[in-house]
Structures are given as C-alpha cells and as structure tokens.
Amino acid sequence: MSNLLVIIQAPSNAPILRLAKGALEAEAARRGLSLIIKADADADPAAVWKSSSESVNAVLLSAIKAPAQPVSTSVPVIATELARVARETGHVLDQLFPDNVPAPAASQSASPKEAAESTESKFLVGVTSCPTGIAHTFMAAESLLRGAKALGYTMKVETRGSVGAKNELTEEEIAKADAVVVAADASVETARFAGKRLLETGTKAAINDASGLIKEALALEPSAAQSGGMKMPPKKARTGVYKHLMTGVSQMLPLVTAGGLLIALAFAIGGIYAGDNEGTLGWALMQIGGASAFALFIPVLAGFIAFSIADRPGLAPGLIGGMLASQIGAGFLGGLAAGFFAGYLTSLLNRKINLPDTLQGLKPVLILPLLSSLIVGLSMIYVIGPPVKFILDGLSTWLNGMQEGSALILGLLLGGMMAFDMGGPVNKSAYTFSVGLLASQIYVPMAAVMAAGMVPPLACALAANIFRNKFTDDERQASKATAILGISFITEGAIPYAAADPIRVIPCTILGSAVTGGISMVMGCKLMVPHGGVFVLAIPNAITQGLAYIAAIVIGTLVATAALYFAKRPLNQMNKAVAA
C-alpha cells in the first residue's frame, strides 16, 4: 500500500479544510492509499514536510493560497491551493500516483465474486445547495461527511455554491455509491442518480441529523433507471413553492448585487444626476448597473422560477413574463406572478399535450415555449399585470410616505423575521421582499434586513467570549469564525448556537434583530445592494446614514447579548439539572 503525506496550512475550523479532508479520505480509500494528514494554521507546509520523519511515497502540500513548489525532491510532490484539493481531488492524486489511476469496477483480472464484493464499498455521494450558496451549502456538506464517517462510510459531497459546483461527482463515483443524499433548498438536477437509492431533503435536515438521513437513504429501494429520451428528475425534486422561489432568487442575486454596486459607484463619480450626463463615466456606469443589470433581474427571477417548476420548456415564457412585468411597471410582484404562472402552465401543457413519438422532439423546443409564451404574455398585459401594478404602486407609496411609527413596526417585523429561522423560509421571505423592492428604488427595507441579519451571529460570538461559563469550549473556539460570518451578513453562522439551545438563543436573537431593524428603518438608512455585510460601507454611496446604520447593528447586538446573559444558564447548572 502506498503512503501519501498531506500537509495543509489552514485554520482547523475552516469549512474548506473539512471538505478537502473528506474528499481526500474518500478518494484515498477508493485507491487503497494510506493517508497521513497534518493540518496547522500557522506552520509552513514545506517546512513541516522537511522536518517530518514519515516514510512516504508522495507528498501533497496545500494552503488557502498555493505554497511554493519544492524542487529536487526524492518523491513526487505537488503544492496547490486547498480549493483545488477539495474540487479536483482525483486529478491531484492522479498526478501523484500516475500508476494508481482507478480502473473500471469490473477488472478483467477480477473474478465475478471479487467484482461483486468490490461494489460493497460502503461509499456514499451527496449534493448540497442553498439559495445564496454561501453558508447552508457548506454546513450541510460538513454535517453529511461527519455523519457518514460516524456510520463507517466514506462519502463525497458535491457543493453547488455561489461560485458554482465544487468537488463534482464523476459517473464512476455515482455508479459505485450505495446511496445518494441530495440536501438542497434550490433546484438540483437528479437525473444522473437514476437507478440509485436517492433521498432528497433540505439543508436544514442535513445539518441537524445527517446520520439519520443517511440511514433513511440506505433503507430506500433503488429508483427506477430510465431509458431512452430525455432523463427527467423525480417529481419529488420539483415540488414546493418555497423551493421554486429560492431557485429564482439564487439566480437573480448576482445581477442585483452587481447592478446595485455599479449604481452606487455612478453616484459617487457623477453625483445624484449621474445618469443624465450622457457620455460621462457616471452615465456609463448607470447604463451598466441600472439600465442593464437591474432591467434583467426581474426577468431572471421569473424565468428561473418557471425553470424550477417545468424545466427548460418553462424558461422562455418565464423570462418573457418577467420582462413584461418589468416593462408595464408590475415590478417584482409581477415577476413572481409571471414566474409561477409560466411554470405551472408549461407543466400542465406538457402533461396534457400528447404527440406521436416522431413529433416528441418538437414539444420542448417549439410547442411548449410558443404556447406558454403566448398565454403568459397576453395574461401579463391584459389580466395579471394591471392589478399587480396597482398593488405595487400602492405599496411603494405607503413605504415612501411612512411615518416613524409605521417605519418602526415594519423594521421590527422584518428584523425579527431575519432571526426567526436564520436562513429558513421566514428569513428568506423578509429578504426576498426587500430585494424585490430595489427594482422600485425603495432601499430602506433592504438596509434594515441586512443589518438585522448580522445580529444573531455577532451576538452569539460576543456572548460566547464574555459569558464563557455559559458556552462550551467548541462554541467559544468557533466564536471568531462566527463573528466573521456575522459582519459578512451570513446569519447562518448562529445556527450551531441556536441548535444547541433553541429555546433560549432564538428569542434573544429575534429581540436583538428586531431592535436593529426598527432603528435602521426609523433612521431612514438606505442600502443599494442586497449583500456584503459591513464591507459595503467601503463603497461610496452604497449606504446612506452610515453612522446610524453601524449604531443600529451595535445596539441590536448588545441587546441580544444582554438577553443571552439572562436567558442562558451556566453549564454546570445545566449539567446538574440534566443529571437530576
């Protein structure tokens, strides 16, 4: 058996480190390699290797940024960045062990009995995805890897995050897997898993009980393999209004973020009337951000909602309906209506229209898009669009003319929703509402929502460091990473604390977030972009009333921290209560 020494420079609680280690362990087990992993946040990988006494056949040096490649080595050595190790594990090991590239499962030299035994490898695969692709995606992946290890399985998890798919599964890995777990809050294609035991669930379930999900997946019957024609995912994957909505939101967010920042830069360079001075840099930035990126985000929202419901045939009518909603002034509410209408209409037509086999190919590329686009377009212009525009105009007038009392109530409501389930449906409802209003140039709710979303992880991190006797060693050690997640507007950073003590932690964070949302709304803080945390303060004009905005975050964090002090009991008291 060949020995591989892996030396990694990365913090022990870094998600990418855990993903890389899990991928290495799974790939090494598949190749029959003996794996030695050394991880240190401070030591230089090359220096650790030179001082190492292990007898190995190859060495892998890795860090967040690729370390220097050693020269004149007695064994094969590769120095590469940690993200590549997690994403392209097989390719990296192919370079180190070119003679140990995995062969197809049915080797010519293997007897039928050996070939059958080799399939029972206790190997699992999974896919995780969430609407924003930032926190839940990787937390669910880590939880699945831990759950698989606890049950004696190796597992490889593909993460479909904000920058695309990482650690992608190969056909060979899927073929040898005993079961597949798809933990996703956004639409994920599952046709490639046909014929496997397939369990589909959400990221929250994977975070809370990965071992239970794996056991449930292993107990399932293999899904029926599909033959001929286009492979379609199981119907279960396509149900749920929330899941369809989040698919549209996840595709829309990059346009809103880029457009909002470009508009802010245009104001910084050319002033509030930057868009009026044709030919200037400020005008050009307004054309890119406002006239292009912002013009696209409602059509993209509607298009991908329809895509989630009806697959590719729903995309065209969804995009067209969303563009019409934008043009007639129905805004994001019209986009939502167009997306769901287009998706469910296309799905209905797909089921009802029966064609001879020789004409089936025309259905997804001609018949369904044409009929759906015609019906959706006429409905948006004559039936759906006008009343939705009336509702949006009324909402806009109310929001723009709010008195302090109304602003406070709305801020308290939106703020509390952001902390209620920390990335769940309630949180995303408040977030989607605020993002949608950006298209109508209403920026105050967005500021309140982002400020409130930062409070739960910041409060938990602060409380864990101040009231140390009320938190475990793991919670205190994780507090620094939690604080970074907090200032980055990743509310999910507080989930481990809430999961450990939900009855006490969640009400406290709701209180602090509500206070922050209320203060931000009353002070009239406006935010041009839907994400970025405190880092958007560095962008000129991305946020107004900057000092009041910071004060709102600080006050809400202190309120939640104080509430945690009174609500949480010292650990020794809790242990005595449990023992009694």
Side-chain angles (χ1 to χ4, degrees):
M1 178 181 288
S2 299
N3 296 323
L4 171 62
L5 173 62
V6 181
I7 302 174
I8 302 173
Q9 181 185 21
S12 60
N13 58 354
I16 189 65
L17 171 62
R18 291 194 278 270
L19 286 174
K21 288 174 70 175
L24 282 168
E25 289 168 355
E27 191 66 23
R30 192 162 73 98
R31 295 166 182 257
L33 300 176
S34 175
L35 192 63
I36 305 169
I37 299 180
K38 295 184 178 182
D40 194 304
D42 302 314
D44 177 62
V48 173
W49 171 48
K50 291 177 181 178
S51 63
S52 175
S53 59
E54 280 87 355
S55 176
V56 295
N57 302 98
V59 178
L60 174 59
L61 307 177
S62 188
I64 302 299
K65 292 184 179 179
Q69 176 71 41
V71 295
S72 302
T73 59
S74 58
V75 296
V77 179
I78 288 180
T80 187
E81 66 271 13
L82 196 54
R84 181 172 176 245
V85 174
R87 184 178 66 249
E88 304 173 14
T89 315
H91 293 162
V92 173
L93 296 191
D94 286 347
Q95 292 177 266
L96 288 170
F97 298 97
D99 297 330
N100 188 13
V101 177
S107 173
Q108 292 181 356
S109 61
S111 67
K113 182 178 180 180
E114 291 170 335
E117 290 174 351
S118 67
T119 62
E120 298 182 1
S121 55
K122 300 199 77 175
F123 180 67
L124 305 167
V125 295
V127 181
T128 61
S129 176
C130 69
T132 55
I134 297 175
H136 276 70
T137 298
F138 299 100
M139 293 169 68
E142 294 169 27
S143 182
L144 286 172
L145 291 172
R146 288 196 302 269
K149 187 175 182 180
L151 295 173
Y153 282 79
T154 55
M155 187 172 193
K156 183 175 180 180
V157 181
E158 175 181 297
T159 55
R160 307 191 70 83
S162 58
V163 293
K166 301 294 183 185
N167 206 31
E168 291 188 68
L169 302 174
T170 66
E171 291 183 7
E172 292 79 10
E173 289 165 340
I174 294 172
K176 67 172 285 191
D178 299 316
V180 182
V181 178
V182 175
D185 299 322
S187 181
V188 171
E189 181 61 64
T190 56
R192 54 183 167 157
F193 304 127
K196 309 299 295 184
R197 295 182 179 90
L198 173 63
L199 176 68
E200 297 178 71
T201 183
T203 55
K204 191 171 184 180
I207 292 169
N208 292 335
D209 185 19
S211 296
L213 292 179
I214 291 171
K215 292 177 182 177
E216 185 178 346
L218 291 168
L220 295 173
E221 291 295 326
S223 60
Q226 300 177 11
S227 59
M230 180 186 295
K231 292 183 177 179
M232 300 294 289
K235 190 174 181 69
K236 181 181 176 183
R238 297 301 187 193
T239 58
V241 170
Y242 171 73
K243 193 169 188 177
H244 303 318
L245 174 63
M246 289 301 102
T247 298
V249 170
S250 66
Q251 302 295 333
M252 171 192 76
L253 277 179
L255 289 168
V256 183
T257 302
L261 288 174
L262 287 167
I263 291 171
L265 287 173
F267 288 155
I269 293 172
I272 194 67
Y273 300 108
D276 298 336
N277 301 317
E278 186 172 348
T280 63
L281 178 59
W283 172 85
L285 292 174
M286 284 295 291
Q287 292 300 305
I288 299 169
S292 299
F294 264 40
L296 283 171
F297 92 71
I298 291 177
V300 167
L301 170 67
F304 279 93
I305 287 174
F307 174 83
S308 178
I309 298 169
D311 285 297
R312 280 175 291 180
L315 185 59
L319 289 169
I320 292 170
M323 180 60 75
L324 288 170
S326 182
Q327 290 175 347
I328 65 180
F332 85 100
L333 292 178
L336 292 175
F340 283 107
F341 180 46
Y344 286 117
L345 172 66
T346 305
S347 179
L348 176 65
L349 292 175
N350 188 30
R351 294 194 304 270
K352 297 298 183 182
I353 297 176
N354 297 311
L355 297 175
D357 292 341
T358 54
L359 298 178
Q360 282 291 336
L362 294 176
K363 199 171 172 182
V365 297
L366 174 61
I367 297 173
L368 291 178
L370 175 60
L371 290 178
S372 298
S373 298
L374 177 62
I375 297 172
V376 170
L378 292 174
S379 299
M380 289 302 300
I381 293 173
Y382 295 112
V383 180
I384 300 174
V388 173
K389 181 181 184 300
F390 176 78
I391 294 171
L392 184 65
D393 288 345
L395 177 64
S396 300
T397 301
W398 177 71
L399 289 171
N400 285 322
M402 278 190 307
Q403 302 298 317
E404 286 190 1
S406 300
L408 176 64
I409 292 172
L410 181 60
L412 291 171
L413 176 63
L414 291 175
M417 290 173 69
M418 289 301 293
F420 182 80
D421 53 0
M422 302 178 190
V426 176
N427 170 287
K428 287 297 187 292
S429 297
Y431 180 70
T432 303
F433 170 77
S434 303
V435 171
L437 291 175
L438 294 178
S440 302
Q441 299 182 356
I442 299 174
Y443 305 110
V444 177
M446 189 71 251
V449 160
M450 189 163 84
M454 290 187 256
V455 168
L458 289 175
C460 290
L462 182 61
N465 282 280
I466 297 177
F467 317 128
R468 301 177 67 85
N469 65 328
K470 298 175 183 282
F471 293 86
T472 66
D473 290 338
D474 289 342
E475 289 172 334
R476 292 196 297 270
Q477 290 174 6
S479 62
K480 295 181 179 62
T482 303
I484 293 173
L485 294 174
I487 63 174
S488 303
F489 182 41
I490 300 177
T491 314
E492 292 89 339
I495 287 178
Y497 300 87
D501 193 5
I503 295 177
R504 295 178 177 85
V505 172
I506 292 177
C508 295
T509 55
I510 289 175
L511 176 62
S513 293
V515 169
T516 292
I519 293 174
S520 177
M521 288 288 294
V522 169
M523 298 304 295
C525 301
K526 297 180 180 180
L527 180 64
M528 307 287 291
V529 293
H531 220 291
V534 298
F535 302 105
V536 300
L537 293 168
I539 307 295
N541 294 320
I543 188 166
T544 63
Q545 307 287 349
L547 291 178
Y549 192 67
I550 294 173
I553 297 170
V554 171
I555 292 171
T557 300
L558 293 176
V559 168
T561 304
L564 286 169
Y565 170 76
F566 290 106
K568 283 185 70 67
R569 291 185 292 174
L571 292 179
N572 57 357
Q573 292 184 15
M574 294 180 65
N575 293 337
K576 289 179 181 178
V578 171

